[in-house]
Amino acid sequence: MFKNFIEQTINGLQTGSIYALIALGYTMVYGIVKLINFAHGDILMVGAYTVFIAVSNSIPFPVALILAIVFCSVLGVVIDWFAYRPLRNAPRISALITAIGISFLLESAALIIFGATPKIIDSKSIPAFLSPNIKINLGIVNISMLTIFVIFITIVCMYILNLFIKKTKLGKATRAVSQDTGAAKLMGINVNLTIAITFAIGSGLGALGGVLYAIMYPTVEPYMGMLPGLKAFIAAVFGGIGSIPGAMIGGYVLGIIESYTKGYISSTWANPIVFGVLILILIFKPNGLFGKNLKEKV
Amino acid sequence: MQKTKQNTENKWGNLNYFNKLNIKNYSLTFLFLIALYFVLYLSIDKGNPFDYKSGIYTSVLISIIFAVSLNIAVGLMGQLSLGHAGFIAIGGYTAAFISKLLVPYNLPPFIQLIVVTLAGGILAGIFGFFVGGSTLRLRGDYLAIITLAFGEIIKYVIQNMNFLGGATGLKSIPSILDFSSVYFIAVISVVIMSMIMTSRKGRQILSIRENEIAAENIGIDINHVKLYGFALSAFFAGVGGSLFAHNVGILTPDKFGFVFSIEILVMIVFGGLGSITGAVLSAVLLTVLNEQLREVSQYRYLVYAIILIILMIFRPDGVFGKKELTIPRFINKYKRIRNNLNKKNNN
Amino acid sequence: MKKLLLLMSLLVVFILSCGGKKEAAENGEKKTAESDVIKIGVIGPLTGEVAQYGEATINGFKLKVKEINEAGGINGKKIELVISDSKGDSTEAVNIFKKMVSQDKINLVVGEIISSASLAIADLAQSAKVPMITPTGTNFDITKSKDYVFRTTFTDPYQGVVTAKYAHSKGIKSVAVLTNSSNDYAVGLATSFKEEAAKNSITVIEEKYTKDDKDFKSILTKIKGQNPEAVFIPDYYNTIGLILTQANELGLKTQYLGGDGWDGIQTNFGAAAEGAIFASQFAPDDTAEVVQKFIAAYKAEYNAEPIVFAALGYDTGSILEAALKSVKDLSPASIREAIAGTNATNLITGDLKYDAERNPEKKVTFIEVKDGKLVLKEKL
């Protein structure tokens, strides 16, 4: 029984890591341009497809992974440039609808290019440190290399990102822009560049999440990003949107809730419970656990 | 001086379209709807239970109800709701469930349809009321997200309800509707919605879209109005859902996901957020397009997406914006064109 | 209120213009349609998650139709196919069916491929009195009390019962059943398996999931804790592949059992499915002459290995050929009569006769996945 509980917790941490990685992108972008980037979940899908194509053309996996991250970073910046920038000062509703439009655009483009039949990333191409079949004995339970790597890489990314935001000049610039765009501009910060960097980092992390997701669940299809994207968003809201440690904790909490629901209640109730959590948070504590208390300006 | 007076009069004149009880126009519209019904009815092959044309008319009429009802919440009240499919699901499932229970009693189909549709609408309306209640403290993005969460939850909860057919869906829903009953219900629904939106209540709803704070300052009870708007929107979504259920004969929960909500949103964004006639027109156009593009449906969403993005960047108000297509406007335009022509000829 | 006026006029113009075109097209068709061809509507998923099944079935059927037409058709009439892609979606299948009946004026329908969509159109076929035959829809309710609806495959109750008996004969005492509750096929098969297993005093634990699920580790961890001797997964191969991959990761090693939806697992998940046994109706290594001839013809035509679905599609063609050859006229009632009287012995998936509920009585073949290939295990 206890062993089972530990195993379920590890399952939760593994899915939670993916949610956390994607939630970071949501949180950073929202913090800086106050936009829910609906297309962020689909960046995950683009990343997974990129790796699939690269691996089918016999490019070694680590290279494919870097390729996917770079490609998605560029894609994130391009999307921002074309679709979101013209709407910086438009009503929120327009920006949100545009984001939904972009999300649909990516999904249907993938549908047209690859078809709806799921693509499988060949398990032979996955290197040993990512293999789901090589297990390490930790006394009580066996954990696969993949699980260890997923959890490890997420924590590392989080740490580096935190350092970046806290210590570097660019990181400080992003914080400044998210606090007061106008004032940041007056201080000589290049706002557009800062926003582009934010989109690049967020999308890159999303792509990393997508690739790991595609290895964990080895089918790649056009709508694969929708549900994890929504759940990652819930994680971001849970932790307080705009807060980086919040996104991380939110992701893990959500993953664990899901895993326990599936393990101890029923798999079919996992999704409604997750969405229920979102509704409760939004009703009772819209700013999340670590979010700043922002009054709507009149 | 003369000019300003002219301008003010024009301005107020425009507003007066709504509240001038213009008998001539009402009766014209009424006659027109009757005539339209006969034109459509005569084009249908009655001997064929699956007549293609009546199928298209029916789905167009149902889309019109969906679009206009969503437009109440999004276009007229300015609250972006992404959970419309959830309300449609509630209406559809309620109606279908009662309909199946009523099978042994052999009621006349039309009566049965009206009864179950009202039931579906009322239950959906109640849900809309509660969803609206939970969103009172939220604005903008968060409001959109909470409605989306409600929509998804409704879908997932239905999946777990075995008496509603569970995740595999509710099947063998009696097909008790024909083109005439759908036409009747759709026209009545749209007329009621237009009437409400041009009434005092309707203008309170509009005031929330324009400026909540100002609306509150002139003594409008915002919360009350929001709840009313959400319930109204959900009620008619439920009505449409009921028709949808009886039309297809099978309901699967996963049909009522986020994507379905977005499809309806595309319709009203295209037609113009806040224009009832715009919503009707674009519902007609997009539904017929969907039928025509069935063979290449993977491109459908691509086209939708591009339409959405381009509209939002270049014309956020949609094709009609907040304008309504009214007969007086039409006549004025015609007169203006005629006058211009006359001037030219005289010159 | 009055704004409706203009809108309506536009609407009329629009609809009339559409209607006018349609009318013209229909009239043109009616002249040619009546006498010299038999029109068969084919509905199946050619794109989407279950496309592999749809494609195989329809390819098998098309192969047989091509052979019939090359041999001079049926009583001198060529068969014309109207094929439409349902994406495996029930609503879409319903719309296509209505369109085929009202616009294309088909004589009978072959379809759907998956149970959910077949159930959706079976009601309509019955009420419109259009003979329908589903090559591969196994759910029992598809043909239940609908005298215009037939199938080529065996049914879920039959398949589930035989699989449970098979598990019992192998001395298995406890089985975990993983059911996809969004899927009629999976639900039907799991239900009959559970009933029969209970009769044979096998203990059953059931876990449910839905179509949206990709993460099965939590459920599998739970099952692992209960240590069953076998795991029965009645689903389609893509989901089965996901489940097996994650089960391997967790080190859950038991005997995996399944139904005919497993056919196709060898393409991408051969290694993960090693040693699994599933019920089917067709084995590529069957030495019977009809089977080998079919495999050769299929390979020549499509350059691919046929799966059980292709065989069922081909057999559907054979059933219809025999039935249509014996009818006097092409009225729905006489086609229905003829299909109901089928007594076929030349089929790839075993001899076929219909019982009172229009379900075939057939042998079940058990297939084992070995080294990424399907091998005939035994016939029951």
Side-chain angles (χ1 to χ4, degrees), chain A:
Chain A
M1 194 64 226
F2 176 68
K3 179 182 168 199
N4 201 300
F5 179 76
I6 296 283
E7 281 177 339
Q8 295 291 24
T9 311
I10 291 169
N11 292 340
L13 288 176
Q14 189 181 354
T15 26
S17 299
I18 303 281
Y19 295 155
L21 277 176
I22 307 167
L24 283 176
Y26 273 117
T27 267
M28 288 172 71
V29 167
Y30 191 90
I32 202 159
V33 284
K34 302 284 174 287
L35 165 83
I36 295 174
N37 183 3
F38 246 103
H40 191 62
D42 299 297
I43 295 280
L44 171 154
M45 177 267 299
V46 175
Y49 268 116
T50 316
V51 162
F52 167 75
I53 295 169
V55 167
S56 337
N57 293 326
S58 57
I59 293 172
F61 193 89
V63 181
L65 179 61
I66 290 162
L67 211 76
I69 291 173
V70 171
F71 180 72
C72 286
S73 300
V74 173
L75 181 69
V77 175
V78 168
I79 288 173
D80 173 53
W81 192 268
F82 272 104
Y84 301 154
R85 248 188 92 194
L87 294 164
R88 287 268 193 270
N89 303 320
R92 286 269 186 92
I93 203 167
S94 306
L96 199 58
I97 291 173
T98 310
I100 292 169
I102 294 283
S103 160
F104 263 52
L105 186 71
L106 291 176
E107 281 164 13
S108 47
L111 189 67
I112 289 164
I113 300 169
F114 301 103
T117 314
K119 302 272 188 237
I120 319 289
I121 292 186
D122 190 8
S123 57
K124 291 183 200 70
S125 64
I126 295 168
F129 67 89
L130 277 174
S131 165
N133 296 328
I134 300 173
K135 296 179 190 66
I136 289 176
N137 194 332
L138 292 183
I140 317 169
V141 285
N142 293 328
I143 305 188
S144 69
M145 286 297 283
L146 174 65
T147 311
I148 293 172
F149 181 80
V150 167
I151 297 173
F152 172 76
I153 193 100
T154 308
I155 292 171
V156 168
C157 283
M158 213 73 57
Y159 183 72
I160 292 174
L161 190 65
N162 227 353
L163 280 185
F164 168 81
I165 296 281
K166 289 262 181 338
K167 306 279 184 218
T168 62
K169 207 168 171 178
L170 256 177
K172 283 176 183 159
T174 50
R175 276 190 296 156
V177 174
S178 76
Q179 271 174 10
D180 190 336
T181 315
K185 231 180 198 145
L186 294 175
M187 295 297 118
I189 292 173
N190 184 340
V191 172
N192 278 333
L193 178 75
T194 315
I195 291 175
I197 297 264
T198 309
F199 267 94
I201 293 174
S203 306
L205 289 170
L208 176 65
V211 176
L212 296 176
Y213 191 82
I215 299 173
M216 281 159 62
Y217 317 115
T219 53
V220 183
E221 38 106 12
Y223 296 102
M224 69 185 280
M226 260 176 124
L227 213 55
L230 273 176
K231 284 176 181 167
F233 176 77
I234 297 172
V237 172
F238 187 92
I241 205 147
S243 144
I244 288 172
M248 174 142 182
I249 289 173
Y252 282 133
V253 168
L254 213 66
I256 284 178
I257 288 178
E258 228 183 64
S259 178
Y260 288 168
T261 312
K262 283 181 177 170
Y264 299 109
I265 304 171
S266 152
S267 188
T268 49
W269 283 101
N271 284 338
I273 284 177
V274 165
F275 281 101
V277 166
L278 171 68
I279 289 175
L280 290 177
I281 295 167
L282 285 179
I283 292 176
F284 296 110
K285 204 173 179 336
N287 298 313
L289 291 177
F290 303 93
K292 296 181 201 67
N293 204 349
L294 288 173
K295 272 267 168 285
E296 188 104 4
K297 285 204 189 83
V298 171

Side-chain angles (χ1 to χ4, degrees), chain B residues 33-47 51 53-54 57 179-180 183, chain C residues 12 15-16 19-20 23:
Chain B
L33 288 171
I34 303 270
L36 177 74
Y37 168 72
F38 279 109
V39 169
L40 294 179
Y41 185 74
L42 291 174
S43 70
I44 293 175
D45 172 10
K46 258 82 61 198
D51 181 49
K53 257 185 256 157
S54 82
Y57 297 160
F179 165 72
S180 312
Y183 187 86
Chain C
V12 170
I15 285 176
L16 283 181
E23 209 90 72

Side-chain angles (χ1 to χ4, degrees), chain B residues 46-221:
Chain B
K46 258 82 61 198
N48 186 341
F50 304 138
D51 181 49
Y52 186 64
K53 257 185 256 157
S54 82
I56 288 196
Y57 297 160
T58 309
S59 45
V60 164
L61 289 164
I62 293 171
S63 301
I64 289 176
I65 301 181
F66 288 162
V68 177
S69 63
L70 180 63
N71 211 359
I72 290 178
V74 182
L76 301 164
M77 203 160 61
Q79 312 290 327
L80 181 53
S81 158
L82 298 176
H84 209 58
F87 300 133
I88 292 172
I90 290 174
Y93 267 95
T94 310
F97 184 70
I98 299 174
S99 224
K100 285 182 79 161
L101 290 182
L102 290 176
V103 167
Y105 299 106
N106 275 334
L107 294 174
F110 184 63
I111 305 289
Q112 186 177 333
L113 185 66
I114 298 281
V115 169
V116 299
T117 302
L118 277 177
I122 287 166
L123 200 69
I126 291 170
F127 268 85
F129 180 83
F130 284 115
V131 170
S134 67
T135 62
L136 290 178
R137 287 176 55 191
L138 302 168
R139 300 237 166 95
D141 305 340
Y142 278 68
L143 187 133
I145 293 295
I146 201 168
T147 51
L148 183 134
F150 271 112
E152 293 293 300
I153 278 206
I154 289 167
K155 174 180 104 178
Y156 289 125
V157 168
I158 290 174
Q159 272 188 355
N160 282 302
M161 299 265 188
N162 284 333
F163 71 96
L164 291 177
T168 53
L170 193 63
K171 300 185 183 72
S172 326
I173 300 162
S175 54
I176 46 176
L177 53 75
D178 53 5
F179 165 72
S180 312
S181 52
V182 175
Y183 187 86
F184 176 78
I185 292 176
V187 165
I188 295 282
S189 300
V190 174
V191 166
I192 291 176
M193 284 188 265
S194 321
M195 281 175 149
I196 291 177
M197 291 328 290
T198 50
S199 69
R200 184 188 176 86
K201 201 56 159 206
R203 266 176 281 146
Q204 288 180 343
I205 291 179
L206 286 179
S207 73
I208 288 186
R209 173 185 72 188
E210 298 305 336
N211 190 332
E212 269 189 50
I213 293 134
E216 204 158 21
N217 286 345
I218 56 168
I220 291 172
D221 182 351

Side-chain angles (χ1 to χ4, degrees), chain A residues 4 7-8 11 14-15 116-118 120 132-133 135 144 146-147 213 216-219 221 224 227 259 262-263 265 267-268, chain C residues 47-49 51 181 207-210 212-215 217-219 221-222 224-225 238 242 245-246 248-251 268-269:
Chain A
N4 201 300
E7 281 177 339
Q8 295 291 24
N11 292 340
Q14 189 181 354
T15 26
T117 314
I120 319 289
N133 296 328
K135 296 179 190 66
S144 69
L146 174 65
T147 311
Y213 191 82
M216 281 159 62
Y217 317 115
T219 53
E221 38 106 12
M224 69 185 280
L227 213 55
S259 178
K262 283 181 177 170
I265 304 171
S267 188
T268 49
Chain C
T47 55
E49 288 161 26
S181 55
E207 283 299 327
K208 289 185 173 156
Y209 58 92
T210 56
D212 298 329
D213 283 326
K214 275 195 162 177
D215 173 41
K217 283 173 86 176
S218 305
I219 311 181
T221 302
K222 192 170 167 183
K224 194 175 146 192
N238 275 325
L242 272 179
T245 312
Q246 291 170 47
N248 277 349
E249 188 180 340
L250 291 169
N268 289 318
F269 301 104

Side-chain angles (χ1 to χ4, degrees), chain B residues 17 25-26 29 32-33 36 48 50 53 57 167-168 171-172 247 254 277 284 294 297 325 327 330, chain C residues 1-3 5-6 8-9 11-12 15 23 87 92 95 98 102-103 123 128 181-182 184 210-211:
Chain B
Y17 286 155
N25 279 328
Y26 270 95
T29 310
F32 192 84
L33 288 171
L36 177 74
N48 186 341
F50 304 138
K53 257 185 256 157
Y57 297 160
T168 53
K171 300 185 183 72
S172 326
N247 184 32
D254 48 73
T277 35
V284 174
R294 169 150 299 164
S297 62
L325 285 164
I327 296 167
F330 191 66
Chain C
M1 290 311 331
K2 41 234 146 162
K3 51 220 152 196
L5 187 51
L6 169 73
M8 293 297 171
S9 61
L11 202 119
V12 170
I15 285 176
E23 209 90 72
K87 304 180 195 61
E92 193 71 12
N95 287 333
K98 286 181 177 172
S102 63
Q103 280 211 283
D123 278 336
S181 55
S182 321
D184 285 295
T210 56
K211 195 171 137 175

Side-chain angles (χ1 to χ4, degrees), chain C residues 156-157 160 177 179 184-197 206 232 234:
Chain C
D156 284 337
V177 179
T179 317
D184 285 295
Y185 162 75
V187 172
L189 193 46
T191 310
S192 62
F193 180 88
K194 281 185 308 197
E195 281 169 11
E196 184 64 23
E206 190 182 23
F232 179 65

